[in-house]
Amino acid sequence: MTVLAFWPGYFSRLGTAKIAWHVHAITATAWLLLLAAQSWSIDQGHRARHRSLGLAAFVLIPLFLVGAAGVEHSMAIATGSGQDPFYNLWGSPLGVYDLIGSAAFLWFGVMALKERRNVARHAAWLLATPLLLIGPALGRVYNAHLPGLIINGPQDFPLFRWSVHLGGMTAAVIALWLWSRHRRHGQPWLVVAAVIMLQSLSFETIGFSRIWNAAYIAFGDIAAPVHAIGAGMIAAAALWWGWRCVYADQD
């Protein structure tokens, strides 16, 4: 679904894509592959391999946040330029939507480390992270193939709003279905559903406010390395706290 969704804007033009988009694509793909490897390793009873592979989260999660910060920065620049008809409409709302998603991704990773002694909750926190990707990916699929939401040019850009919400609603329904199947340890599924709904609400409210628009454009005026280093440091510190916190809970 991801390849289908981002084929027009990324995969079909790899040679001209910005470095930030490459970092984001590579780290997101690596994270999904890690989740698959972790699910397979523990299912096969390879506990030592599962633990060893899990340490990759200390590298991949900060790198994912670095890539996400780079994408946010490029979007903020496009929004501030006033030259891109898509970002003129949706730059600031998408900025707050993605910011919440990135923060939630880090939060889920930290909670997975903190609750790694509880197998069901540990797994649920990790498997909640791909649900954050379903809305943005599926929204683009809707815009390409769903009658009534197909975007053929700038004149159809206003339709993007509805694909954002429909994609998010789809992801939230999946999360609530998973919670209904695993209620005892299902808090992560409720949390990710709430986060997705918060993204849609913020898209329509904060995203169109003058204060946020000014702040988002100012965000683009700061050098990209500053954002990248800051995102990586925050992620590393949060993950270390989550790793150590499991021991503190036992005292």
Side-chain angles (χ1 to χ4, degrees):
M1 183 178 68
T2 300
V3 173
L4 179 64
F6 293 100
W7 178 264
Y10 176 70
F11 289 105
S12 66
R13 54 182 71 177
L14 290 176
T16 59
K18 298 177 181 178
I19 294 178
W21 293 91
H22 288 314
V23 174
H24 184 57
I26 291 169
T27 54
T29 301
W31 178 253
L32 293 176
L33 291 175
L34 177 62
L35 292 182
Q38 288 293 74
S39 295
W40 176 84
S41 63
I42 201 65
D43 181 66
Q44 297 297 311
H46 303 313
R47 294 181 179 273
R49 182 178 299 173
H50 182 84
R51 293 191 183 100
S52 297
L53 285 172
L55 296 177
F58 284 98
V59 176
L60 283 182
I61 292 178
L63 286 179
F64 179 90
L65 268 293
V66 167
V71 171
E72 283 270 17
H73 184 259
S74 67
M75 290 168 52
I77 291 176
T79 302
S81 72
Q83 303 299 312
D84 190 307
F86 178 81
Y87 287 106
N88 285 345
L89 281 175
W90 306 119
S92 293
L94 271 179
V96 71
Y97 187 101
D98 289 348
L99 181 63
I100 294 171
S102 295
F105 177 87
L106 175 58
W107 177 21
F108 295 169
V110 170
M111 292 303 297
L113 291 177
K114 184 176 183 293
E115 300 199 62
R116 63 186 182 276
R117 300 293 175 83
N118 183 320
V119 174
R121 288 174 69 88
H122 169 73
W125 283 117
L126 288 175
L127 295 174
T129 57
L131 289 178
L132 295 169
L133 306 177
I134 287 179
L138 195 55
R140 285 166 174 79
V141 173
Y142 289 152
N143 281 147
H145 302 286
L146 186 64
L149 290 181
I150 296 176
I151 293 178
N152 293 309
Q155 71 280 2
D156 299 320
F157 284 165
L159 297 174
F160 181 76
R161 159 184 271 136
W162 307 113
S163 68
V164 167
H165 298 313
L166 185 57
M169 185 184 302
T170 306
V173 168
I174 294 172
L176 292 175
W177 176 77
L178 287 167
W179 170 77
S180 72
R181 298 288 302 276
H182 308 279
R183 295 192 183 189
R184 182 178 179 184
H185 299 290
Q187 182 189 8
W189 307 119
L190 289 179
V191 171
V192 71
V195 167
I196 292 168
M197 288 187 282
L198 176 63
Q199 286 179 294
S200 282
L201 179 63
S202 299
F203 182 95
E204 290 292 347
T205 54
I206 297 173
F208 289 102
S209 68
R210 292 183 178 179
I211 294 176
W212 168 251
N213 184 65
Y216 191 57
I217 292 174
F219 177 87
D221 294 333
I222 301 173
V226 175
H227 296 301
I229 293 171
M233 291 179 65
I234 291 172
L239 291 169
W240 180 247
W241 175 84
W243 179 265
R244 298 296 300 173
C245 200
V246 70
Y247 298 109
D249 288 346
Q250 293 178 344
D251 294 338

